[in-house]
Amino acid sequence: MLYNLLIQEEGALFASFSNYIVPVIGVILGYFILNEPLLLQHKIGIFIILLAVLFSNKDIFRKWAIKDH
């Protein structure tokens, strides 16, 4: 139900980005809840995923880059 609301509000392309965020959340939850190690390759992977999502959506990138100048 929330996914359908997200599609209505932001569009299908933006909603599809949630598939990229799932592994990031899994690694972060594993670190905090299960005390799993957060290695350098995890941090690099999280950075690459977040950067790719940011650059793939031009509207988000513009909002982030122009921040109330």
Side-chain angles (χ1 to χ4, degrees):
M1 181 143 182
L2 290 176
Y3 192 72
N4 290 336
L5 183 61
L6 180 63
I7 291 174
Q8 288 177 349
E9 293 294 321
E10 298 294 333
L13 180 63
F14 182 80
S16 70
F17 292 145
S18 66
N19 295 329
Y20 296 108
I21 302 301
V22 171
V24 173
I25 293 172
V27 168
I28 292 171
L29 288 177
Y31 175 74
F32 285 112
I33 295 173
L34 301 175
N35 295 321
E36 293 182 355
L38 187 61
L39 304 175
L40 179 61
Q41 50 266 55
H42 296 135
K43 294 174 187 175
I44 292 171
I46 289 171
F47 177 74
I48 291 171
I49 290 171
L50 294 178
L51 199 63
V53 168
L54 178 70
F55 286 139
S56 63
N57 190 329
K58 294 176 186 176
D59 294 333
I60 293 175
F61 181 69
R62 283 188 197 126
K63 289 178 189 176
W64 178 75
I66 299 178
K67 285 190 183 176
D68 300 324
H69 279 74

